[in-house]
Amino acid sequence: MTAHTRYPHAGSVALITGASSGIGEAFARELAQRGAHLILVARRADVLDALAEQLRSGDTTVEVVAVDLGTPEGRLELWESIAVRIPTITTVINCAGFGTFGDLAEADPDRIDAEVNLNVAALTTLTTRMLPSLLEHEHAAVLNVASNAAFQSIPHMAVYAATKAYVLSFTQALWGELRSTGVRALAVCPGPTETPFFDVAGEQDALTRRRTPEHVVRTALRALDRGKPSVVDGFDNALVARLGVRLVPERLLLWAAGRFVQPRA
Ligand SMILES: NC(=O)c1ccc[n+]([C@@H]2O[C@H](COP(=O)([O-])OP(=O)(O)OC[C@H]3O[C@@H](n4cnc5c(N)ncnc54)[C@H](OP(=O)(O)O)[C@@H]3O)[C@@H](O)[C@H]2O)c1
């Protein structure tokens, strides 16, 4: 059991999905600072290339894989393009994801499909495929980006919250399976964070009290050092996520959660 020792980033190889912006990009910048080699994954090749160019330095190598992880073909393409590097990868950060706002009755079924495919299927497939080789290492980690939406069903974000509840549950169970190995599993649960997430979701005015991607990364890497199964970024967020759902009656909680994500005028 390697928990409670500092996780060694220097010289390690980290694969980061969703690295072209927001929290994934912040992970890439921080891990490059700490001396990790990087494999950056997202759809926009030009953005990834520009980031890779900035982060390459000295002995630090940065590779780019531009694929759509929302499709089985894209997931297979990722697997094939990293084939020779798989035995060297020790850190997997599943950060690619997006959210949809609005009532399900009015939702575009294809968009909902894409959301479940990316937030759930891509993360699960990559984790499952990577685990055997991660287990060969003395120190390795799977860091899955969930959300504080994972703790509470959210009207008007029903699918997003459900996908993140899956990520939290899946990762906590994995932590239990891996506790006597060198692989740490960690679910990172950010609250509202200032990234293009809200533009992508088409709701820029929702959840306006936001923390930064750098806050989330700092919180996550500290929790990884401590070998925690999950961590919520931000004291207020943690209080609501961990306590609120236990203390508040179900109907009131659902009403409040639905109100909370409504855009501010
Ligand atoms: N921001 C928040 O308030 C917040 C709160 C809680 C949790 N989170 C979670 O944090 C994670 C990162 O989100 P973010 O806030 O950093 O948003 P973001 O800036 O929009 O980043 C999303 C990342 O996912 C990638 N991506 C989207 N669709 C993809 C696809 N089909 N295939 C491959 N990559 C794809 C995007 O790159 P391309 O467009 O180049 O593909 C981008 O790099 C997500 O899982 C999100 O659910 C965010």
Side-chain angles (χ1 to χ4, degrees):
M1 174 85 179
T2 51
H4 306 299
T5 60
R6 260 181 101 83
Y7 185 78
H9 294 286
S12 67
V13 179
L15 183 152
I16 306 171
T17 74
S20 63
S21 99
I23 297 169
E25 179 186 337
F27 269 116
R29 291 186 184 282
E30 181 59 32
L31 293 195
Q33 281 271 326
R34 296 187 185 205
H37 303 285
L38 303 175
I39 302 173
L40 308 178
V41 186
R43 288 167 303 180
R44 288 170 294 167
D46 53 339
V47 181
L48 290 176
D49 284 337
L51 178 63
E53 196 57 40
Q54 287 177 35
L55 299 184
R56 270 184 206 113
S57 73
D59 292 338
T60 305
T61 63
V62 186
E63 288 174 44
V64 159
V65 186
V67 286
D68 182 348
L69 292 173
T71 66
E73 299 76 24
R75 296 196 279 277
L76 194 60
E77 198 184 327
L78 169 63
W79 192 245
E80 286 168 354
S81 35
I82 60 169
V84 290
R85 300 299 309 276
I86 288 167
T88 67
I89 296 170
T90 49
T91 310
V92 176
I93 301 184
N94 283 299
C95 189
F98 73 90
T100 48
F101 281 88
D103 290 355
L104 197 65
E106 288 151 25
D108 170 2
D110 292 338
R111 186 92 180 127
I112 297 294
D113 246 28
E115 188 177 10
V116 175
N117 272 318
L118 183 63
N119 297 6
V120 174
L123 174 142
T124 308
T125 306
L126 188 60
T127 305
T128 309
R129 282 181 184 272
M130 283 302 306
L131 263 182
S133 89
L134 294 179
L135 282 162
E136 298 290 320
H137 294 271
E138 189 184 345
H139 299 284
V142 179
L143 203 156
N144 291 333
V145 180
S147 166
N148 68 350
F151 295 88
Q152 166 58 46
S153 304
I154 304 183
H156 320 299
M157 289 189 86
V159 174
Y160 180 71
T163 65
K164 294 302 179 177
Y166 172 93
V167 175
L168 177 62
S169 165
F170 171 72
T171 311
Q172 287 173 323
L174 209 55
W175 184 93
E177 292 181 19
L178 297 170
R179 60 187 308 166
S180 60
T181 76
V183 185
R184 304 176 196 197
L186 171 68
V188 182
C189 304
T193 307
E194 194 57 55
T195 73
F197 176 90
F198 299 92
D199 293 330
V200 174
E203 205 56 271
Q204 190 45 254
D205 297 326
L207 302 166
T208 45
R209 280 189 58 207
R210 300 176 192 164
R211 285 169 60 85
T212 68
E214 291 73 25
H215 282 135
V216 175
V217 168
R218 214 172 304 136
T219 300
L221 296 182
R222 207 181 304 128
L224 189 66
D225 282 340
R226 292 176 185 169
K228 290 181 168 190
S230 68
V231 68
V232 179
D233 177 54
F235 180 76
D236 294 359
N237 292 332
L239 206 63
V240 173
R242 305 271 192 201
L243 267 185
V245 299
R246 289 199 167 79
L247 300 179
V248 182
E250 187 181 24
R251 287 172 196 230
L252 178 59
L253 198 57
L254 287 169
W255 173 81
R259 288 270 304 181
F260 183 65
V261 299
Q262 288 295 319
R264 305 278 180 274

